[in-house]
């Protein structure tokens, strides 16, 4: 949305058209190289130019500036043009073009006048100015004329602009690459500024912030990153100022700033005319760079658009532009698609999917028609009618043989031609990289938690490879992404592998979330493999394995203990040695027996102290609960600290023996933590207990 305050913010000090002769020294190719890989590409500098980001910016004088209160009329333009025309009549045109170049000041004046003429759609004056231009100024004029196509509103304006472009090229303009890159970038910014949630003032800040974030992730030299950021930001500021000037001119004419679908079609028609004029002067590399130039601003802006922007009129122009660039040979579609997914540029992802789906539909129609032809050819049969003479039958037979041979040769040629067409189409598709990798894009989006982009890739791009992104999110402990995948629907095996990844990375919270979503029979069948993989992939920490065992991940204490004991006694070399040693020490049947022995020895020692101790404090004179506290409070606190539904076998063995001694009755060796802790709590003083209700809830 272009507002007056935005224009005041961007076009200051009565220099609304000063953008055409800015002092920013940037080459478009250099800027776009910074967009691609943030490397510093040397600028190919030449003479001064009236166009922003021309090969060398002109030196301005104060009287060269045009005040802000200009109108889009042509009276002043005509007066200045007539002066220049009178001066040029003294010279021979051929000699002027071959031996003389315009001075820098003349080029500035001529470029400014041409911009105003283009804004006023005065074709006669524009053609007169074209006749005055030298080769460098003609290339600047080509850029100015091409930039104006994104503000066309009528067919008359379309005819004027395309006529000027043809005239400029006919007079010697040949920098088609520069014009294509520049106008692609501008078209993207125009579409972005037509978003209801964007304004020119906001756009500058958003671009600077997003560009800074992007450059921070690059590992190149800090100086080069700073230079790249400054150049791209200046290029963006130029584009936004250019938009402000055109929009102000339209407002002065009483026009709106948002294009209709008819106007967008006119704009795309003008760009198609430019491509036709350029012809072979634009290579596949040029189309590739132009595609990147168009995608780059949207990659940074798109996350700020309102939902559904990509399906509105504002995005139709950029969608059509990208489609034509793909047709021309852009081969970085997948690269831009992945980058948009990584940055969470959902609307750009949606646009690229629409662009490619449109091409696929056209290809599908060709394929279906070819199949229809085969079906029709296969359905033809020759039938000899009844009552026909033998001679006629013979003639008919010979004719059919000739027809069959001809038909066979025809079918062979058709199949060959069909294969040739398929090979050509395959080469074109391979060259243009039309097969975007939606699954890889889903991985990028999930890695950076771009949930909106993930929704788009699944719903509109049919991405279905959940396993890799889900496992990586589980390893990182990204709960939001894990919950998204689980909600979308994952296979049991995918959930098991994600559980393994979380356990191996000690992401206990993720493992706790995943456990209830996996059927028990699946866990039972894969229990050994889950523990084995979690232990093998761990980086020295077995916290994840401990969590699974303490959580009774099989839902059956006996089964969980049995699995741990089996792995502790296993001679399988695939079981990590540290995992086997850990399970043998704490979770095996041998560990439980050792815990029982330890508990028995502890009881014997307590009794010896109770009966034979020479301490001034006679234990036998203390109340029974205090004696129990002295004997078993440390064990109680250790069990309380361990938590979980299951205790390690060694600790459980000690607790079984303690419960037997304090209760004075036999306790089953299969008793679990909750029951055993309740017995112990019953015989300990309440003031020693730490929230017994919480304890009981923990061991449920």
């Amino acid at each position: 949305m272009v507002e007056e305050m935005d224009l005041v913010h961007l076009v200051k000090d009565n220099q609304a058209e000063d953008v055409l002769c800015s002092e920013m020294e940037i080459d478009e190719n250099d800027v776009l190289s910074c967009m691609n890989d943030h490397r510093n590409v040397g600028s190919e500098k030449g003479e001064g130019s009236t166009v922003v980001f021309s090969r060398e910016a002109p030196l301005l004088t104060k009287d060269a500036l045009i005040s802000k209160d200009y109108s889009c009329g042509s009276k002043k333009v005509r007066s200045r043009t007539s002066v220049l025309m009178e001066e040029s009549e003294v010279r021979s045109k051929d000699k002027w073009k071959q031996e003389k170049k315009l001075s820098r000041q003349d080029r500035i004046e001529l470029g400014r006048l041409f911009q105003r003429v283009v804004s006023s759609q005065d074709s006669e004056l524009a053609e007169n100015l074209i006749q005055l231009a030298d080769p460098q100024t003609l290339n600047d004029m080509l850029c100015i004329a091409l930039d104006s196509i994104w503000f066309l509103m009528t067919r008359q304006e379309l005819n004027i602009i395309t006529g000027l472009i043809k005239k400029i090229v006919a007079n010697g303009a040949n920098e088609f690459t520069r014009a294509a890159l520049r106008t692609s970038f501008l078209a993207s910014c125009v579409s972005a500024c037509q978003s209801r949630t964007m304004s020119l003032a906001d756009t500058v800040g958003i671009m600077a912030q997003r560009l800074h974030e992007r450059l921070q992730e690059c590992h190149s030299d800090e100086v080069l990153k700073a230079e790249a950021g400054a150049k791209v930001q200046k290029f963006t500021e130029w584009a936004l100022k250019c938009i402000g000037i055109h929009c102000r001119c339209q407002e002065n004419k009483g026009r709106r700033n948002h294009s209709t679908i008819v106007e967008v079609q006119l704009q795309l028609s003008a760009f198609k005319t430019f491509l036709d004029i350029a012809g072979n002067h634009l290579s596949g590399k040029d189309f590739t760079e132009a595609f990147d130039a168009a995608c780059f601003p949207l990659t940074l802006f798109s996350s700020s658009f309102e939902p559904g922007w990509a399906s509105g009129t504002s995005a139709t122009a950029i969608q059509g532009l990208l489609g034509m660039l793909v047709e021309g040979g852009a081969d970085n579609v997948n690269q831009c698609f992945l980058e948009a997914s990584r940055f969470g540029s959902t609307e750009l992802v949606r646009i690229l999917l629409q662009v490619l789906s449109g091409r696929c539909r056209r290809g599908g129609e060709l394929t279906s028609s070819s199949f229809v032809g085969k079906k029709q050819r296969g359905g033809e049969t020759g039938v000899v009618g009844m009552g026909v003479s033998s001679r006629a039958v013979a003639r008919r037979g010979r004719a059919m043989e000739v027809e069959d041979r001809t038909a066979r040769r025809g079918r062979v040629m058709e199949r060959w031609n069909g294969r040739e067409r398929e090979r050509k189409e395959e080469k074109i598709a391979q060259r243009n990289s039309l097969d975007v990798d939606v699954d890889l894009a889903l991985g990028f989006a999930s890695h950076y938690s771009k949930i909106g982009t993930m929704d788009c890739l699944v719903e509109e791009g049919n991405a279905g490879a959940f396993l890799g992104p889900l496992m990586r999110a589980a390893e990182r402990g990204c709960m939001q992404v894990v919950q998204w995948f689980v909600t979308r629907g994952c296979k049991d095996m995918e959930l098991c592998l994600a559980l393994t990844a979380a356990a191996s990375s000690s992401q206990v919270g993720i493992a706790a979330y995943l456990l209830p979503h996996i059927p028990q029979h699946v866990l039972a069948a894969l229990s050994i493999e889950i523990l084995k993989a979690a232990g093998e992939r761990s980086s020295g920490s077995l916290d994840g394995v401990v969590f699974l065992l303490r959580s009774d991940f099989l839902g059956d204490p006996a089964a969980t203990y049995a699995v741990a004991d089996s792995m502790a006694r296993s001679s399988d070399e695939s079981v990590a040695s540290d995992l086997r040693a850990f399970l043998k020490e704490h979770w095996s049947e041998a560990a439980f027996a050792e815990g029982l022995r330890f508990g028995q020895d502890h009881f014997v020692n307590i009794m010896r102290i109770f009966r034979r101790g020479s301490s001034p404090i006679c234990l036998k004179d203390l109340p029974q609960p205090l004696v129990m506290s002295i004997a078993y409070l440390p064990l109680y606190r250790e069990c309380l600290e361990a938590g979980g539904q299951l205790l390690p076998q060694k600790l459980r063995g000690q607790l079984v023996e303690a419960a037997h001694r304090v209760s004075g009755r036999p306790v089953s060796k299969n008793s679990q933590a909750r029951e055993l802790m309740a017995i112990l709590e019953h015989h300990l003083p309440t003031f020693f207990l730490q929230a017994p209700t919480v304890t009981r809830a923990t061991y449920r």
Side-chain angles (χ1 to χ4, degrees):
M1 177 79 64
V2 179
E3 300 176 356
E4 187 64 28
M5 292 183 63
D6 301 328
L7 299 176
V8 173
H9 176 77
L10 292 171
V11 187
K12 299 179 180 178
D13 303 327
N14 295 328
Q15 297 178 5
E17 289 186 74
D18 194 27
V19 62
L20 298 175
C21 40
S22 170
E23 296 184 26
M24 294 182 286
E25 297 182 359
I26 288 187
D27 190 309
E28 288 94 335
N29 296 324
D30 192 13
V31 172
L32 293 169
S33 298
C34 294
M35 296 178 192
N36 290 329
D37 54 15
H38 311 293
R39 293 192 300 268
N40 187 23
V41 181
S43 301
E44 180 184 347
K45 294 187 177 181
E47 290 295 331
S49 170
T50 61
V51 186
V52 178
F53 305 115
S54 56
R55 299 197 179 279
E56 181 178 332
L59 298 176
L60 301 179
T61 58
K62 184 175 181 180
D63 58 355
L65 301 177
I66 294 181
S67 64
K68 184 177 178 180
D69 60 350
Y70 74 92
S71 66
C72 293
S74 59
K75 292 182 180 179
K76 295 182 180 179
V77 181
R78 286 182 177 275
S79 62
R80 178 58 183 155
T81 304
S82 62
V83 173
L84 292 175
M85 290 292 292
E86 290 174 1
E87 294 176 354
S88 66
E89 288 175 357
V90 181
R91 308 175 181 89
S92 169
K93 289 185 179 180
D94 293 338
K95 185 176 180 180
W96 171 255
K97 290 184 179 180
Q98 295 175 4
E99 300 179 1
K100 189 76 173 177
K101 288 185 178 181
L102 289 176
S103 67
R104 177 173 297 172
Q105 186 61 38
D106 285 342
R107 188 173 297 117
I108 294 171
E109 289 285 341
L110 192 56
R112 181 183 297 109
L113 292 173
F114 185 76
Q115 173 65 58
R116 296 181 63 186
V117 167
V118 170
S119 299
S120 62
Q121 289 92 42
D122 191 330
S123 59
E124 180 181 355
L125 278 177
E127 291 179 359
N128 289 336
L129 293 176
I130 293 172
Q131 297 298 325
L132 299 176
D134 65 353
Q136 182 59 49
T137 308
L138 283 172
N139 288 318
D140 294 341
M141 288 180 170
L142 176 62
C143 291
I144 293 173
L146 187 60
D147 289 344
S148 67
I149 68 175
W150 307 113
F151 307 94
L152 296 177
M153 289 189 172
T154 65
R155 183 162 293 278
Q156 180 183 4
E157 294 176 0
L158 169 66
N159 294 333
I160 291 174
I161 294 300
T162 54
L164 289 177
I165 292 175
K166 293 176 182 178
K167 186 78 173 178
I168 293 170
V169 173
N171 278 265
N174 57 7
E175 291 188 1
F176 298 103
T177 299
R178 173 186 163 204
L181 301 188
R182 166 179 159 139
T183 201
S184 298
F185 188 93
L186 178 62
S188 182
C189 293
V190 170
S191 294
C193 290
Q194 290 183 351
S195 168
R196 291 193 300 272
T197 58
M198 296 283 288
S199 67
L200 290 178
D202 295 336
T203 303
V204 175
I206 292 174
M207 170 64 89
Q209 178 184 352
R210 302 282 165 75
L211 182 61
H212 176 74
E213 293 172 356
R214 177 174 178 178
L215 290 175
Q216 289 303 310
E217 297 176 1
C218 300
H219 301 291
S220 57
D221 183 79
E222 292 297 326
V223 176
L224 297 182
K225 290 198 295 185
E227 292 178 357
K231 290 178 180 180
V232 175
Q233 185 170 353
K234 288 180 179 180
F235 203 178
T236 305
E237 290 173 355
W238 158 78
L240 299 177
K241 289 180 181 180
C242 184
I243 294 170
I245 292 173
H246 280 280
C247 291
R248 179 170 180 173
C249 185
Q250 291 175 352
E251 289 176 354
N252 290 340
K253 295 179 181 180
R255 296 179 174 181
R256 62 191 176 281
N257 293 324
H258 282 76
S259 301
T260 64
I261 188 63
V262 175
E263 293 165 354
V264 169
Q265 291 174 351
L266 294 176
Q267 296 163 8
L268 294 176
S269 176
F271 185 72
K272 181 64 168 62
T273 301
F274 165 74
L275 294 181
D276 293 339
I277 294 172
N280 294 331
H281 293 285
L282 290 176
S283 64
K285 180 182 178 182
D286 297 332
F287 281 103
T288 297
E289 293 179 351
F291 192 93
D292 188 69
C295 288
F296 183 78
L298 293 180
T299 301
L300 303 184
F301 290 147
S302 180
S303 58
S304 301
F305 295 159
E306 69 271 12
W309 176 86
S311 58
T313 305
S314 301
T316 304
I318 194 65
Q319 182 178 341
L321 169 67
L322 294 176
M324 282 188 274
L325 295 176
V326 171
E327 293 282 351
D331 63 359
N332 58 338
V333 181
N334 191 48
Q335 175 186 344
C336 293
F337 183 74
L338 296 177
E339 188 173 330
S341 301
R342 174 257 174 275
F343 275 91
S345 303
T346 305
E347 297 304 313
L348 177 56
V349 169
R350 186 170 284 116
I351 284 178
L352 293 176
L353 288 173
Q354 292 171 359
V355 169
L356 299 180
S357 65
R359 289 180 58 86
C360 291
R361 283 195 297 272
R362 290 194 294 273
E365 289 171 1
L366 291 174
T367 303
S368 62
S369 63
S370 65
F371 276 110
V372 169
K374 291 180 180 179
K375 183 176 180 180
Q376 291 173 346
R377 287 191 298 271
E380 293 177 356
T381 57
V383 179
V384 180
M386 298 296 294
V388 182
S389 65
S390 60
R391 186 175 301 174
V393 171
R395 286 197 302 270
R396 178 60 176 165
R398 288 192 295 271
M400 289 179 63
E401 290 178 1
V402 174
E403 290 175 359
D404 286 342
R405 288 195 297 271
T406 305
R408 283 195 297 272
R409 284 195 293 268
R411 285 194 291 270
V412 170
M413 291 300 297
E414 286 174 358
R415 284 195 295 270
W416 186 84
N417 291 332
R419 285 194 294 271
E420 283 295 304
R421 284 195 301 270
E422 290 174 0
R423 280 194 289 268
K424 289 180 180 178
E425 291 175 0
E426 184 178 351
K427 288 180 180 179
I428 294 174
Q430 184 177 5
R431 182 192 67 188
N432 293 349
S433 298
L434 296 182
D435 294 331
V436 293
D437 195 337
V438 292
D439 291 330
L440 182 57
L442 180 63
F444 275 103
S446 64
H447 183 78
Y448 294 96
S449 302
K450 305 300 182 181
I451 300 299
T453 304
M454 294 164 64
D455 288 331
C456 176
L457 290 169
V458 172
E459 294 171 2
E460 302 179 33
N462 299 320
F466 286 7
L467 177 58
L470 173 61
M471 290 185 64
R472 287 188 288 272
E475 288 175 346
R476 299 193 312 272
C478 186
M479 180 64 76
Q480 182 186 23
V481 174
V482 172
Q483 289 176 339
W484 184 90
F485 279 112
V486 173
T487 303
R488 281 282 174 177
C490 296
K491 299 176 182 178
D492 294 339
M493 181 60 70
E494 292 174 337
L495 294 176
C496 283
L497 292 173
L499 177 65
T500 303
S504 64
S505 303
S506 300
Q507 299 293 346
V508 174
I510 300 296
Y513 172 77
L514 290 172
L515 266 178
H517 294 87
I518 305 175
Q520 287 297 326
H521 71 276
V522 177
L523 287 173
L526 300 174
S527 57
I528 293 179
E529 298 301 326
I530 291 174
L531 293 178
K532 185 190 301 183
E536 181 181 1
R537 296 171 57 186
S538 64
S539 302
S541 173
L542 296 174
D543 291 345
V545 174
V546 172
F547 168 78
L548 291 177
L549 295 174
R550 288 182 176 177
S551 300
D552 188 18
F553 75 110
L554 296 181
D556 180 3
T560 302
Y561 283 131
V563 168
D565 181 67
S566 174
M567 294 186 64
R569 294 184 289 104
S570 174
S571 59
D572 188 354
E573 295 181 356
S574 62
V575 179
S577 58
D578 55 343
L579 175 62
R580 183 188 294 109
F582 172 78
L583 294 176
K584 184 176 181 180
E585 181 181 357
H586 296 283
W587 291 88
S588 63
E589 290 293 335
F592 178 76
E594 184 179 354
L596 285 176
R597 288 194 301 271
F598 186 87
Q600 293 168 359
D601 293 343
H602 177 71
F603 177 77
V604 171
N605 290 333
I606 290 294
M607 289 300 99
R608 285 175 179 173
I609 295 173
F610 184 77
R611 295 173 182 175
R612 304 176 188 176
S614 59
S615 172
I617 301 176
C618 296
L619 295 180
K620 61 182 178 180
D621 295 335
L622 296 176
Q624 187 68 15
L626 287 180
V627 175
M628 292 295 101
S629 299
I630 294 174
Y632 293 111
L633 187 59
L635 175 63
Y636 170 79
R637 289 178 175 173
E638 185 179 358
C639 294
L640 194 66
E641 183 180 354
Q645 298 183 40
L646 298 183
L647 288 173
Q649 287 282 52
K650 186 174 182 178
L651 194 58
R652 190 175 72 91
Q654 297 178 51
L655 191 57
V656 167
E657 181 63 22
H660 165 62
R661 296 301 180 180
V662 300
S663 65
R665 57 185 176 84
V667 176
S668 173
K669 293 183 179 181
N670 295 326
S671 300
Q672 298 304 319
R674 179 182 178 184
E675 179 183 355
L676 298 173
M677 290 290 286
I679 295 174
L680 208 57
E681 287 176 351
H682 181 71
H683 292 84
L684 294 177
T686 56
F687 57 82
F688 280 135
L689 303 181
Q690 299 180 7
T693 55
V694 176
T695 302
R696 294 189 184 98
T698 303
Y699 292 100
R700 63 185 184 278

